[in-house]
Amino acid sequence: MKQRMRTGTGVRGGARAGVGAGARTGIRAAVVAGLALVTVATVGGCAFGRPQVKVPPPFPSPTYSSGYDSSPSYEPTYSPSPAEETYDPDGRADVSGSNCDFSDSLRQFTYTVSITNPSTNDSFSYDMAVNWMKAKPADGKAYGLHERSITVGPGDTETYTAKYTVNQSSIGQFWFTCEITRAHKTRR
């Protein structure tokens, strides 16, 4: 068996409380009609319109003024002094030799020496020494020595023939080599 229970604050039975059944029906009808209007208005989209939200335009980037011009009012005027070229005082790398020879008739050693100054700015003086060395046996003994100082301009090449004359009246067969043993280089 189902049991129904009704709760409320009024008195049971509308007739006894002074409210008739017709009044209750009218109230119900009014409530239903009000709900129907709200539903129709909401479905139709015109009940309670959403508020319009306006997005403010973006703010411009802030600009700062320090009160002075930050760009320099002068241009630095300087010209760096040209760097002085470094050089090795041992100038043998700048020197080459060719045509190592001995003339029996002149009793003279000869050797063609070429000096190329690699500098583009400076002249150099080369203090040269050329030796004609004993080749067999190669015991470090020299037959003759030629010394000369020669100045070579920037980027230039100077060529000369080094000579050494033997004081003996007759020389037999012998072996020799030509060596540039010194090319001391100094700036002029």
Side-chain angles (χ1 to χ4, degrees):
M1 171 183 261
K2 290 184 182 177
Q3 197 175 20
R4 290 187 185 180
M5 184 172 205
R6 201 168 192 191
T7 58
T9 55
V11 179
R12 265 184 94 169
R16 284 181 276 177
V19 178
R24 277 195 300 243
T25 304
I27 291 173
R28 277 191 213 144
V31 169
V32 169
L35 287 174
L37 280 176
V38 168
T39 303
V40 168
T42 302
V43 170
C46 61
F48 304 103
R50 292 184 183 165
Q52 293 287 331
V53 178
K54 290 188 178 182
V55 178
F59 290 107
S61 300
T63 57
Y64 301 100
S65 176
S66 60
Y68 67 91
D69 185 9
S70 63
S71 61
S73 60
Y74 66 92
E75 289 292 325
T77 55
Y78 66 90
S79 55
S81 60
E84 190 172 292
E85 292 177 334
T86 59
Y87 70 96
D88 184 357
D90 182 359
R92 285 181 288 181
D94 303 348
V95 180
S96 63
S98 60
N99 303 322
C100 182
D101 198 12
F102 180 77
S103 168
D104 285 326
S105 61
L106 297 173
R107 297 187 324 271
Q108 190 175 66
F109 289 103
T110 56
Y111 192 44
T112 304
V113 178
S114 292
I115 306 166
T116 301
N117 180 357
S119 173
T120 57
N121 300 323
D122 298 318
S123 294
F124 286 98
S125 175
Y126 292 84
D127 182 24
M128 303 294 302
V130 176
N131 280 93
W132 290 268
M133 305 295 290
K134 190 173 179 183
K136 289 185 181 179
D139 57 6
K141 291 183 180 176
Y143 290 118
L145 169 67
H146 168 86
E147 293 180 304
R148 179 175 178 181
S149 183
I150 187 167
T151 300
V152 184
D156 291 342
T157 299
E158 296 289 336
T159 302
Y160 73 96
T161 301
K163 298 176 184 178
Y164 178 77
T165 303
V166 178
N167 290 331
Q168 296 172 326
S169 58
S170 65
I171 297 179
Q173 186 177 7
F174 65 97
W175 287 267
F176 63 98
T177 61
C178 298
E179 291 182 18
I180 298 168
T181 54
R182 184 180 71 241
H184 185 73
K185 181 178 177 180
T186 54
R187 186 176 277 114
R188 299 299 283 172

